[in-house]
Amino acid sequence: MRRLTAVAAIVVALAGCGTIRKTFGIKDAPPAHSEPRSTSIYGDWVLATPDSTAFAGANNVEMSLQPTNFAINASYPSRPAVMISGTVIYRDGLLTLTPTGGSADMGQLGAAFAAGRPIVITASAAGGSLVFAPPPSGGTTAVVPSSVWHKKAMAEAAGKVNP
């Protein structure tokens, strides 16, 4: 009995040892957090909550953001979809979107996305999320997000939008 107890104690003590863990197939649980694979702002994105932005009332808002241009498509339940396109400049965390064209009927978006009028925002991405916020001003370092976007492929996989 003593011998069995001693052997059991040794096995338990060695359970943390890599050799014992490997021999018996003991695996660690995956970490609760993993580093993002990408911090690029470029790609295809879906707006998380359109009603908290200029796109209020939209069913779905998608954006293709590339190093030199962007295109935004917003679909609405009771009116035609709206498309906005333009140029992109990204420097030092500040993203400048300059609309160059859009749908004939921009509705409430006409004021926010006037052709030729640059929109300057802070942009930051990590993993599957992109956050826009007004640029810091007056020495303020706190950034309050104005919109959150999700990678389109991830949103589709999660069932948040239709492919």
Side-chain angles (χ1 to χ4, degrees), residues 122-146:
T122 300
S124 178
S129 297
L130 169 67
V131 177
F132 289 159
S137 64
T140 303
T141 57
V143 175
V144 179
S146 59

Side-chain angles (χ1 to χ4, degrees), residues 2-3 17-19 24 28 43 46 49 51 57-58 62 64 69 78 86 91 100 118 123 125 138 147-148 158 161:
R2 272 195 210 181
R3 205 176 268 171
C17 174
T19 304
F24 291 104
D28 287 329
V46 177
T49 53
D51 284 340
E62 296 182 12
S64 174
N69 58 54
S78 59
R91 269 189 223 116
T100 56
S147 64
V148 176
V161 295

Side-chain angles (χ1 to χ4, degrees), residues 94-136:
L94 289 179
L95 177 67
T96 303
L97 303 175
T98 305
T100 56
S103 301
D105 180 18
M106 295 283 284
Q108 80 259 16
L109 296 174
F113 291 94
R117 189 174 73 198
I119 302 164
V120 180
I121 49 181
T122 300
S124 178
S129 297
L130 169 67
V131 177
F132 289 159

